[in-house]
Amino acid sequence: MPDRRKTGEEMLRGIPVSQGVSQGRVVVLNRSRIVPAKAGFEIDDQAGEEARLQTALAETRKQLTAVQERLRDEFGAKESQIFDAHLLVLEDPALMEEVGRQVRDEHHTPEYAFYTASEKYAEALSAVDDSYLSERAADIRDVTQRVLGNLMGQPQRAGVSDLTEPCIVVANDLTPSDTAQLDPAKVLGFVTEVGSRTSHTAILARSLQIPAVLGLGEAIEELKPGQTVLLDGFNGFVIISPSEQTLFEYGQLVERQSSIEESLDEIRTEPAKTLDGHTIILSANIERAGDVEAVRKSGATGVGLFRTEFLFINRSDLPNEEEQFQAYKKVTESLAPEPVIIRTLDLGGDKLLSHVNVAAEMNPFLGWRAIRLCLEEKDLFRTQLRAILRASAFGDLKIMYPMVSGMDELDAANVLLDECRDQLRAEGVEFAENLEIGVMIETPSAAMIADSLARCVQFFSIGTNDLIQYSLAVDRLNEKIAHLYEPTHPGILRLIKTTVDAGQAQKIWTGVCGEMAGELAMVALLIGLGVAELSVVPSLVPRVKMLIRSIEMAKARELAEFALNCDSPGEILARAEALAKAAVPDFFEKTA
């Protein structure tokens, strides 16, 4: 609900995805989504309908390529790569075969066929509990709207590029295509009803340095054309008709944030060491080889989680060994001598891999995914393992297996890894003989047998997102029960402590690479529990480092001791937040 303040101003809250403060008049983009009605055509018209589809696909490809080239010219290769996924949608054989089948066999119009086929894929991606993958549904829908617009002769994304004066843009959603067309001189900031921090829209907003607040929900209806609003991209607030006092306070906030950014830059190359001298390894999570520069700029100590899924999704074939090797080598070599931890493929039985024969599953997240899929699709797994081993010759590369639930899976994976080692030795190919192996602790069973796992690996990395969901039986994407998703639940903290203790008993370290590692209120709690490494997205590294450098390990251990003996998640969270706020109050100050 909006906060109606005594001054007459009204405050709305969303998700801050691109920092900055801006003030301006609202322009609402009322662009409806194209949803074609079910319709058919006469059999005699089939050739013409198929030709119409091919023309629309060609025009869409041309439009996307033009957007990509402009981004490359203005911002570089990294931002332009966002549209690689868009272009690959048009090449996806499973999607195109389904569209063709509907046109050919069921005589559905191309627009209805394309819409229904692509929406099926988008819905599957939306259901995945991985923010990176679920947000790719927006990419598919973006491409779909372009194709439909071209098929139906409707203007593409009208309105975004036609703004004539500086304003705050308000919309139900802005697709990556929309965002790429925004002119920072005209768009002072933007607000949307839906969206998240990991969306391509958010990524582009940060590249364009346009303040943005997404995910406002139904409260967006409060924003009307012509209103004067203040947009706070630091904290996620949108203030309608801000008072003079609010404007004054936000002027001070901008100054403080500038000062904070300067302080963060000063400690970029400093270690993440507590006030009483305890060093934490602070690493970065990345999704593609092009993220290396962001890791360097952040001041992270290497990579604690290199997701390899980007190589496998939105394409018509499996990546071969050489393609994977080049990607892994680039990251490893570029960051040497800092460590790089590669997570093996973590996709599953929810039909994301159109080139792997996967049967439908009632619950794919309790099904055929991650290490389970890899141990069945051995050729796919061997290809990745060989590529990783080859890349290990170029730096401090480590490997970890996701979703391990028992010793049999770890043993089977290591057998395949040893087979690949033997093959490479026979071929005379160099690799690191002492490659460190780790497992992700994401299931309660893995945490409970951590003592056994610890005897066979060199490190643990806790994936808190899945560990919390599986332990509490909570789907955090289900709005009805999302409030039960509690990182500070005593059961979760005891599983983390059990894992850490098992590792320490075998003299191996435990890290955390899930979202919990990047939540400032959780940092002291985690290191107090004995976690030796935190891995977060590059943009969060400086703030997490500043927090670590502002607390005492003794205080963190006191917090952990309290948490392990407390039955209330709320009390634990309050105590953790209090410690973090006392250490770095500026990070938590919200002017509004």
Side-chain angles (χ1 to χ4, degrees):
M1 292 292 291
D3 175 15
R4 301 182 190 280
R5 299 151 68 86
K6 293 180 180 179
T7 59
E9 62 188 24
E10 183 179 335
M11 185 180 74
L12 313 176
R13 171 177 255 173
I15 302 168
V17 302
S18 184
Q19 294 187 347
V21 173
S22 59
Q23 178 191 1
R25 291 192 175 278
V26 167
V27 169
V28 177
L29 296 183
N30 293 312
R31 184 180 57 250
S32 59
R33 184 168 171 234
I34 303 174
V35 180
K38 185 175 182 179
F41 57 85
E42 298 295 329
I43 295 177
D44 292 344
D45 295 335
Q46 181 168 320
E49 292 296 289
E50 291 177 343
R52 193 162 64 86
L53 173 61
Q54 293 306 315
T55 298
L57 293 174
E59 181 61 23
T60 301
R61 203 172 288 113
K62 178 181 176 182
Q63 292 167 351
L64 290 172
T65 301
V67 173
Q68 186 177 52
E69 289 176 352
R70 185 174 68 79
L71 278 176
R72 184 182 293 113
D73 292 341
E74 294 183 13
F75 300 105
K78 180 180 177 182
E79 281 71 17
S80 70
Q81 286 173 352
I82 286 173
F83 286 90
D84 287 345
H86 287 60
L87 289 164
L88 286 170
V89 170
L90 301 175
E91 310 297 335
D92 187 279
L95 173 61
M96 291 303 142
E97 172 57 29
E98 173 62 15
V99 174
R101 185 194 65 77
Q102 289 192 39
V103 172
R104 181 179 61 253
D105 299 340
E106 300 180 26
H107 305 299
H108 289 159
T109 60
E111 43 265 60
Y112 180 76
F114 199 94
Y115 175 77
T116 55
S118 63
E119 190 61 21
K120 174 184 174 182
Y121 281 86
E123 287 178 355
L125 278 166
S126 296
V128 178
D129 183 44
D130 180 305
S131 57
Y132 173 74
L133 293 176
S134 62
E135 284 294 344
R136 302 297 75 82
D139 299 338
I140 292 178
R141 289 180 170 128
D142 188 2
V143 175
T144 298
Q145 290 298 301
R146 279 188 173 272
V147 172
L148 295 178
N150 288 321
L151 277 167
M152 301 171 74
Q154 296 188 16
Q156 285 297 320
R157 305 329 228 174
V160 175
S161 58
D162 299 327
L163 300 171
T164 58
E165 59 183 27
C167 62
I168 303 291
V169 169
V170 175
N172 166 262
D173 190 15
L174 286 180
T175 67
S177 293
D178 290 329
T179 312
Q181 296 180 59
L182 297 181
D183 179 356
K186 299 286 177 54
V187 179
L188 304 175
F190 66 84
V191 185
T192 66
E193 180 180 352
V194 299
S196 74
R197 292 183 180 89
T198 57
S199 67
H200 279 159
T201 297
I203 293 169
L204 286 169
R206 291 190 286 271
S207 297
L208 292 164
Q209 297 185 327
I210 296 176
V213 175
L214 309 187
L216 216 62
E218 294 180 359
I220 202 166
E221 298 298 329
E222 300 290 324
L223 296 171
K224 309 298 182 184
Q227 286 176 329
T228 297
V229 300
L230 186 144
L231 187 153
D232 174 1
F234 291 108
N235 302 303
F237 297 131
V238 181
I239 302 173
I240 301 171
S241 302
S243 67
E244 290 298 322
Q245 179 62 25
T246 295
L247 293 174
F248 172 75
E249 290 173 357
Y250 266 96
Q252 292 184 315
L253 171 66
V254 171
E255 291 182 7
R256 284 196 301 274
Q257 291 295 338
S258 297
S259 177
I260 290 172
E261 293 302 320
E262 291 176 5
S263 299
L264 293 176
D265 189 58
E266 289 173 2
I267 66 165
R268 187 179 64 83
T269 59
E270 297 296 321
K273 182 183 291 187
T274 64
L275 292 172
D276 45 358
H278 190 95
T279 299
I280 301 297
I281 302 301
L282 182 55
S283 306
N285 296 340
I286 65 171
E287 292 161 348
R288 56 181 68 236
D291 293 335
V292 166
E293 189 58 31
V295 176
R296 287 203 194 97
K297 289 181 178 179
S298 73
T301 301
V303 169
L305 170 62
F306 182 4
R307 297 182 175 95
T308 56
E309 291 74 46
F310 81 96
L311 285 165
F312 292 80
I313 62 174
N314 291 326
R315 59 183 296 156
S316 60
D317 58 353
L318 288 167
N320 61 30
E321 180 182 325
E322 186 62 24
E323 180 183 351
Q324 293 188 59
F325 163 65
Q326 291 297 337
Y328 307 152
K329 175 191 172 187
K330 177 180 179 180
V331 174
T332 305
E333 195 172 39
S334 298
L335 294 175
E338 303 293 357
V340 172
I341 301 176
I342 291 183
R343 180 181 72 185
T344 57
L345 183 62
D346 192 13
L347 289 179
D350 36 21
K351 292 194 174 182
L352 296 181
L353 291 172
S354 60
H355 33 263
V356 174
N357 185 24
V358 180
E361 296 183 288
M362 289 293 290
N363 190 337
F365 304 111
L366 298 179
W368 199 48
R369 57 168 291 199
I371 196 66
R372 300 169 181 178
L373 181 147
C374 289
L375 291 176
E376 290 291 331
E377 296 289 331
K378 290 185 172 63
D379 289 341
L380 177 153
F381 198 28
R382 288 190 187 97
T383 298
Q384 183 172 42
L385 293 176
R386 282 176 57 95
I388 292 171
L389 284 168
R390 289 172 58 193
S392 71
F394 296 87
D396 184 9
L397 185 62
K398 310 176 196 296
I399 184 174
M400 65 179 176
Y401 306 128
M403 196 65 182
V404 169
S405 58
M407 287 297 300
D408 288 348
E409 291 167 335
L410 174 59
D411 292 340
N414 282 337
V415 166
L416 289 175
L417 184 64
D418 286 339
E419 287 180 10
C420 293
R421 284 176 168 139
D422 292 341
Q423 291 172 358
L424 292 175
R425 287 191 195 100
E427 296 167 13
V429 177
E430 291 186 9
F431 63 91
E433 291 284 353
N434 60 345
L435 176 74
E436 291 188 14
I437 300 169
V439 294
M440 292 195 69
I441 305 296
E442 301 173 278
T443 64
S445 64
M448 289 186 283
I449 63 164
D451 54 344
S452 298
L453 294 169
R455 290 192 286 270
C456 302
V457 296
Q458 286 73 57
F459 65 92
F460 290 143
S461 186
I462 301 176
T464 52
N465 300 4
D466 277 343
L467 182 63
I468 294 168
Q469 287 199 126
Y470 290 133
S471 300
L472 302 182
V474 172
D475 176 3
R476 61 179 178 164
L477 300 181
N478 185 331
E479 294 181 0
K480 292 184 178 180
I481 58 172
H483 64 283
L484 298 175
Y485 182 89
E486 295 178 302
T488 52
H489 190 289
I492 301 302
L493 302 182
R494 292 171 194 176
L495 287 174
I496 293 173
K497 182 61 174 171
T498 296
T499 302
V500 169
D501 289 348
Q504 290 178 345
Q506 294 296 323
K507 295 181 169 49
I508 70 170
W509 57 268
T510 298
V512 172
C513 62
E515 288 183 10
M516 201 170 166
E519 295 177 15
L520 295 180
M522 299 292 101
V523 169
L525 181 55
L526 289 172
I527 66 175
L529 289 169
V531 169
E533 182 240 24
L534 299 174
S535 192
V536 303
V537 295
S539 61
L540 289 179
V541 168
R543 290 180 177 246
V544 174
K545 182 182 289 188
M546 177 70 85
L547 176 56
I548 292 171
R549 290 173 61 86
S550 303
I551 60 176
E552 296 178 1
M553 177 56 79
K555 294 291 186 183
R557 288 175 175 148
E558 286 179 12
L559 172 62
E561 185 67 22
F562 166 80
L564 291 171
N565 290 284
C566 181
D567 296 328
S568 169
E571 288 182 28
I572 296 170
L573 178 59
R575 183 74 70 94
E577 288 179 337
L579 177 57
K581 289 177 180 178
V584 283
D586 285 344
F587 288 175
F588 293 88
E589 185 175 2
K590 294 184 179 356
T591 295

